Amino acid sequence: MNRLVYENPHPLALQTKFEEIMQYSHMALKQFPKNERFQLCADIKQAVDTAMHLIIRMQKRYAKKTTLQDIDVEIEYLRVLVRSANAYGYINTHKLQVWMKHVDEAGRICGGLIKFYNEKARTTS
């Protein structure tokens, strides 16, 4: 299935992956200490929500490249936040690996979409 996503990328694959990330993040953030729920948890939730908002915006736009770049930035910011949660000891190494696997897959899908739309722009010009 992953091979099909890269050969013929579709924005819906990115949205589906981020829905999985939202579900996993919700479960993982429940186990954070109470004092961090209003700081690091809020930042992680905000990054995931912003990325989902941008994904929906990208699907509705004709010119998708700039929005995809914004999504890519949010994915990288989410990676930083998840790594800091591990560094602070709020999540264990296994949870970090699972979470990063989801985020990395979303990053690969986003990168494939960026590459696809860049090629599409070059061929139509």
Side-chain angles (χ1 to χ4, degrees):
M1 181 183 150
N2 289 341
R3 187 175 203 144
L4 294 175
V5 170
Y6 300 126
E7 291 173 2
N8 187 15
H10 194 275
L12 188 59
L14 185 59
Q15 182 176 352
T16 305
K17 180 50 74 175
F18 251 90
E19 288 170 358
E20 291 174 17
I21 290 172
M22 287 177 81
Q23 292 170 357
Y24 188 80
S25 297
H26 182 71
M27 290 186 309
L29 293 176
K30 280 183 178 179
Q31 298 172 358
F32 274 48
K34 195 168 192 167
N35 62 340
E36 283 301 320
R37 289 192 185 154
F38 301 105
Q39 295 171 350
L40 188 59
C41 286
D43 290 343
I44 292 172
K45 284 180 187 177
Q46 182 66 35
V48 172
D49 290 343
T50 302
M52 182 57 85
H53 180 85
L54 288 169
I55 290 167
I56 293 168
R57 179 180 289 170
M58 183 258 316
Q59 291 175 356
K60 300 293 182 183
R61 284 194 174 166
Y62 177 75
K64 300 177 183 314
K65 288 191 324 184
T66 55
T67 310
L68 277 167
Q69 291 168 345
D70 293 341
I71 294 168
D72 196 32
V73 169
E74 286 298 320
I75 289 172
E76 192 59 38
Y77 181 56
L78 183 59
R79 280 187 183 115
V80 170
L81 291 173
V82 171
R83 272 188 250 127
S84 4
N86 182 47
Y88 295 142
Y90 302 141
I91 58 174
N92 60 22
T93 307
H94 174 70
K95 214 168 256 188
L96 172 72
Q97 289 172 347
V98 172
W99 210 342
M100 291 303 279
K101 182 179 139 196
H102 286 298
V103 175
D104 288 344
E105 182 68 23
R108 282 193 287 279
I109 294 169
C110 185
L113 286 168
I114 290 171
K115 186 176 177 183
F116 175 77
Y117 286 114
N118 282 340
E119 284 296 317
K120 189 176 177 182
R122 280 189 213 129
T123 59
T124 58
S125 299

